[in-house]
Amino acid sequence: MAKQLTDETIATAENLFREYLRDRGLKYTHERKTVLREVLGNPDHFEAEQLLVDLRQAGRRVAKATIYRTLPLLVNCGILKQVQFGDKLTRYEHTFGQNAHDHMVCGHCHKIIEFSSEDVVRLRTVLASRFRFHALSHRFQISGLCWECVQAAPAGERPFVPTDDAAPRRR
Amino acid sequence: MAKQLTDETIATAENLFREYLRDRGLKYTHERKTVLREVLGNPDHFEAEQLLVDLRQAGRRVAKATIYRTLPLLVNCGILKQVQFGDKLTRYEHTFGQNAHDHMVCGHCHKIIEFSSEDVVRLRTVLASRFRFHALSHRFQISGLCWECVQAAPAGERPFVPTDDAAPRRR
DNA sequence: ATCCGTGCAAAGTCTTTGCAAATTA
DNA sequence: TAATTTGCAAAGACTTTGCACGGAT
């Protein structure tokens, strides 16, 4: 789970973003700052549309196009990470000041369990070297059934094949 | 890499699909059979559109809608597996008669290296049990740079942050 | 003063859906 | 025969883009 960021951390992120932009002759606009703040304040996974709605509710008007144009910038400068759970929606989560983590997705209730493990990174390194591959990041998603759903649906009751249909439904 | 399937394996897949359909009162139509065969003959990852084109070239007319309606069925019965490399495209690969495998994606040349490791499955099991999660499948994708691209772009030359922009471009 | 960015709406892409005609069990 | 499918085209959902105006350095 994402933890609450301190003002200090937020400031650091802003600096990072500002520098990233400056380095390539881009501008640190009011809108980009607004999006960055909203993004950092967002604890879990979110999608572009969600961000738009949240901003609207907060009384901050940022055009949808601007959001779609800003998110990739945040991804490129490392503040945001894209994650996909199988449906068409592009989701994001900020990794700034957080531990890298992976996900377990329940194919029945769609619950998402975040976990982090050094073992994953270690294994990734081992595997990469085997192919002379320079690993920089990874995504590890485990699909299956959470405890509650296993209880509710005893083995043998109905065969379960996890599919992407089982991913969180769009809206 | 996908290996060439034997006629026998293909026949087995057909039986599996037919039974899957029968069990839920669905029909094993000519079109579904056509799609299944094309899918099984497809060695690597493919997308719905690609499948349509291939079928057209082979002189087999199957409506696009039918393909989009058939693919999920094949996923549900376990013959196909969805994979996503970060772009919006839904890709598939058949897992029938193949070893489960994961991917390394080069963020620069977009090459895809397939690998399989028992360690991944073992780790997944360990992690799952830690959360009382019943793991059924997983996706492990390592992003970074392949050897050739590392050579071409010495460390320090240009900072590289793997993003989903680096995913294979759509057509 | 110059670029760059924003908004808006139109255009794109990929996917889904309604419906009548055609098939399958 | 009864129910499911197919094709086609229209509709949808999400994202990208062109352009004129406004804003940042």
Side-chain angles (χ1 to χ4, degrees):
Chain A
M1 304 300 132
K3 49 193 170 199
Q4 193 55 48
L5 298 181
T6 64
D7 289 347
E8 191 189 333
T9 307
I10 292 177
T12 307
E14 288 188 15
N15 286 333
L16 177 62
F17 192 29
R18 183 156 43 222
E19 281 173 32
Y20 168 85
L21 293 173
R22 176 161 42 60
D23 287 354
R24 29 214 104 196
L26 303 180
K27 292 162 182 171
Y28 189 55
T29 65
H30 196 251
E31 286 79 1
R32 285 174 179 166
K33 180 172 184 172
T34 298
V35 171
L36 172 60
R37 296 217 156 188
E38 183 63 33
V39 154
L40 291 177
N42 219 315
D44 279 310
H45 315 101
F46 63 90
E47 8 167 324
E49 185 65 29
Q50 188 57 245
L51 198 61
L52 178 69
V53 172
D54 292 346
L55 284 173
R56 284 279 159 75
Q57 292 192 327
R60 307 192 155 287
R61 265 85 224 304
V62 177
K64 182 179 291 190
T66 299
I67 291 179
Y68 275 103
R69 282 186 279 227
T70 304
L71 257 15
L73 294 176
L74 291 170
V75 170
N76 279 323
C77 85
I79 290 176
L80 238 45
K81 187 174 129 189
Q82 272 195 208
V83 287
Q84 306 206 234
F85 294 124
D87 50 5
K88 297 297 108 30
L89 284 186
T90 299
R91 292 150 192 282
Y92 298 87
E93 63 182 20
H94 66 92
T95 50
F96 205 76
Q98 315 229 149
N99 296 322
H101 62 261
D102 297 287
H103 305 103
M104 292 186 198
V105 184
C106 176
H108 190 241
C109 71
H110 310 148
K111 183 194 312 175
I112 293 173
I113 299 173
E114 291 184 359
F115 67 92
S116 61
S117 159
E118 264 308 305
D119 292 332
V120 176
V121 179
R122 254 193 297 278
L123 176 56
R124 142 188 143 184
T125 303
V126 172
L127 292 170
S129 69
R130 189 175 301 169
F131 290 87
R132 296 201 305 179
F133 190 82
H134 181 57
L136 289 167
S137 68
H138 72 264
R139 292 174 198 176
F140 189 26
Q141 183 184 319
I142 300 176
S143 301
L145 294 172
C146 69
W147 178 254
E148 290 71 18
C149 289
V150 169
Q151 297 301 80
E157 181 110 286
R158 52 170 173 61
F160 180 79
V161 177
T163 74
D164 287 305
D165 286 342
R169 288 310 348 155
R170 56 182 65 172
R171 204 157 356 290
Chain B
M1 307 300 134
K3 51 193 171 198
Q4 194 56 47
L5 298 182
T6 63
D7 290 346
E8 189 188 334
T9 307
I10 293 176
T12 308
E14 288 188 15
N15 285 334
L16 177 62
F17 192 31
R18 183 156 45 221
E19 280 173 32
Y20 168 86
L21 294 172
R22 176 160 43 62
D23 287 355
R24 29 214 102 195
L26 304 179
K27 293 161 183 172
Y28 189 55
T29 66
H30 193 251
E31 287 79 3
R32 285 177 179 164
K33 181 172 183 173
T34 298
V35 171
L36 171 60
R37 296 216 157 188
E38 183 63 33
V39 154
L40 290 178
N42 220 314
D44 278 311
H45 316 101
F46 63 90
E47 5 166 326
E49 187 65 30
Q50 187 57 245
L51 197 62
L52 179 67
V53 173
D54 291 347
L55 284 173
R56 283 278 159 76
Q57 293 193 325
R60 308 193 155 286
R61 266 82 225 306
V62 177
K64 182 179 289 190
T66 300
I67 289 179
Y68 275 104
R69 282 186 280 226
T70 304
L71 257 14
L73 294 176
L74 290 170
V75 170
N76 279 325
C77 84
I79 290 177
L80 239 45
K81 188 174 127 186
Q82 273 195 206
V83 288
Q84 305 207 230
F85 295 124
D87 51 3
K88 299 292 106 37
L89 285 185
T90 299
R91 292 150 191 281
Y92 298 86
E93 63 183 21
H94 64 93
T95 51
F96 206 77
Q98 315 228 150
N99 296 322
H101 63 260
D102 296 289
H103 306 103
M104 292 184 198
V105 184
C106 176
H108 190 243
C109 71
H110 310 150
K111 185 194 311 178
I112 294 173
I113 298 173
E114 291 184 358
F115 67 90
S116 61
S117 160
E118 263 309 303
D119 292 333
V120 177
V121 179
R122 254 194 296 278
L123 177 54
R124 140 188 146 185
T125 304
V126 172
L127 291 169
S129 69
R130 190 176 300 168
F131 290 86
R132 295 200 307 179
F133 190 83
H134 179 58
L136 289 166
S137 67
H138 73 265
R139 293 174 196 176
F140 189 28
Q141 182 184 319
I142 300 176
S143 301
L145 294 172
C146 68
W147 178 253
E148 289 72 19
C149 290
V150 169
Q151 297 300 81
E157 181 108 286
R158 54 170 171 61
F160 180 80
V161 178
T163 73
D164 287 305
D165 286 340
R169 290 306 354 152
R170 54 180 67 174
R171 207 157 350 291

